[in-house]
Structures are given as C-alpha cells and as structure tokens.
Amino acid sequence: GWRGIVVVGLLVVVVYAAVLLLLQKRSGVPYTDIADSEETTRRGVLVPVALALALLLVFAVATGRLAEAFVYSPTISSPWLWAVPALIAAGIVARFATTSWRSLGARRVVVLVVASLLVGVSEELLIRGLFVDVLQDAGLAAVWIAVVSSIVFGLLHGLNVLLGQPPAAALLQVVSTTLTGLALFTCLALSGTLWLPILLHALFDLSLLAQVAAAGAGQDGAEVRPVQLVLTFVPSLLAIGVLFAL
C-alpha cells in the first residue's frame, strides 16, 4: 500500500542522512566552523557531500529513477506564485552585493561555490527529486506531497545538532528550512523541473556561506541587513500560498 511506499522513501532519506552524518563526523569539523576557512569548508562540506551525492546518484541510476527525479508534473499555473523564486533571487543578490568577496580570495571562493553546488544538487535530488517521486507513486495528494517533503527537508537539517550546532539554533533551522522547503517545492511545481530549485538552493547557500566567511574575516560589508532578512524569509511565508494552489 501507499504507507509501505512512503516508508521506503523515508528509508532512502534516513540512509543518506546517516552516511552524510558519519562522513561529516569523521571530518572533525564542527557545524559552527564550516565557513571558517577554505580547509574547514572543504573537509566539513565539500568532501562529505560529494561522497554522499555519488552514492545517491548510483542509487538513482540503479533504480531507474534519475530521469524522473528531474521532472515534476502536473505543474501549477498561479502567476502570483512566481514572486517566490523572484524574491529568493532578490535575497541572494542582496547578500552577494554586501559580501566582501575580495577578502575571501579566489581559491576560497571556488571551494565555497563547489560546496554550495554539491549541497544544492544532493539535497534537491534527495528531497524534491527522489522523495517527491516516491510520494507521487504512493498516490498522495499534491498538497500532502508539498507538506511532507518540506517537513522531512526541515528535519534533515535538524541533524546538525549532532555536529555541534546549538540546540536552539538547530530548532530554528528546522523551522526555517521547512518553510524554505515549501518555497523550493513551489519553484519545482511552477517550473516542472528540478533544475530551478537546484539553482536557487545552491546560490542561496553560497550567499549565506560567503557572507558568514567574509564576516569571520572581519569584513563590515558582510553584515546582515534588515532588507536581506526580509528577502530571506518572506518568500518562504509567501510559499504557503502554494498549498491553496495545488
């Protein structure tokens, strides 16, 4: 039945999370230090995520689900919801514009870009690709697919508490990434392709990592401004509207 299919999907997520958590634990880099230097980003993010993504791709190819994971149908036709990806992009641009890239150096920027791209591809392929596909196979209504996949996305980030993230911050991240997951699902349902969530996810993470890295280097230009906070959270709250459009 549908419950068994959903359990299989959750098992895939759990196995991926366990593998990634083990690799990140072995890196010896606490979650709070991943943007401290080129080395901590490479060891704490880039390498573990690259290995976990490789295993995820092998699984997707072996099960014949890779191609399906990159498309979504039926798409929704709510023009006003395009404000969600537009505002996400505006927030990314705002953070890029206020980050002192020169202070980071070319090599460090390359590592941040690659790490962010790997995270974007792996998490989107896992959640809004493979997991959403499984939920569709189980016959869940689109609104429940949006809700369940976003909650699982949020809980996935709660595992950062096991990597040294303070519990209060981890709880806040679970809530914020659940809402962000809904925003990224909106992008998937609007475009019908996983590439839009991947692009926005990767650039979103890059803008945050680079800002934290530059702030750690003592750059005033990396401070978080009110407009950036608004452009970060408003799209996620606006994305709740997708539940009424599905």
Side-chain angles (χ1 to χ4, degrees):
W2 68 269
R3 290 183 180 84
I5 296 174
V6 172
V7 168
V8 170
L10 287 172
L11 184 60
V12 172
V13 175
V14 168
V15 170
Y16 170 89
V19 169
L20 181 58
L21 184 62
L22 177 62
L23 291 170
Q24 289 179 313
K25 276 281 192 180
R26 288 179 63 85
S27 76
V29 179
Y31 179 81
T32 51
D33 297 347
I34 57 174
D36 281 3
S37 67
E38 176 189 333
E39 178 68 9
T40 58
T41 302
R42 184 181 63 80
R43 286 173 43 216
V45 182
L46 194 157
V47 173
V49 175
L51 292 173
L53 174 58
L55 292 175
L56 189 61
L57 285 170
V58 169
F59 170 80
V61 171
T63 55
R65 286 185 171 272
L66 185 60
E68 293 178 21
F70 279 85
V71 293
Y72 178 86
S73 64
T75 56
I76 57 174
S77 54
S78 295
W80 72 272
L81 278 173
W82 280 99
V84 172
L87 287 170
I88 293 174
I92 291 168
V93 170
R95 283 186 293 275
F96 279 173
T98 54
T99 296
S100 179
W101 295 93
R102 287 185 180 180
S103 68
L104 298 174
R107 283 174 55 91
R108 192 170 179 188
V109 169
V110 169
V111 170
L112 288 170
V113 168
V114 174
S116 299
L117 181 59
L118 288 170
V119 171
V121 172
S122 62
E123 292 188 357
E124 291 307 311
L125 176 59
L126 176 68
I127 301 297
R128 274 158 291 278
L130 297 171
F131 189 56
V132 162
D133 263 3
V134 168
L135 296 181
Q136 284 189 305
D137 288 348
L140 265 66
V143 64
W144 286 111
I145 293 174
V147 171
V148 173
S149 64
S150 298
I151 290 175
V152 170
F153 181 65
L155 292 175
L156 187 66
H157 288 78
L159 294 176
N160 289 329
V161 72
L162 301 177
L163 296 171
Q165 186 180 34
L171 179 59
L172 179 60
Q173 189 174 27
V174 168
V175 174
S176 64
T177 50
T178 296
L179 289 171
T180 299
L182 199 56
L184 291 170
F185 181 86
T186 302
C187 297
L188 173 70
L190 283 167
S191 65
T193 173
L194 191 64
W195 288 111
L196 181 58
I198 285 175
L199 176 64
L200 291 175
H201 189 153
L203 291 175
F204 183 88
D205 283 2
L206 174 61
S207 69
L208 292 178
L209 277 174
Q211 196 167 62
V212 171
Q219 299 299 320
D220 293 335
E223 64 181 293
V224 178
R225 301 176 181 181
V227 67
Q228 294 176 34
L229 291 175
V230 170
L231 290 172
T232 296
F233 294 108
V234 167
S236 298
L237 294 174
L238 187 61
I240 293 174
V242 76
L243 302 179
F244 300 94
L246 292 171

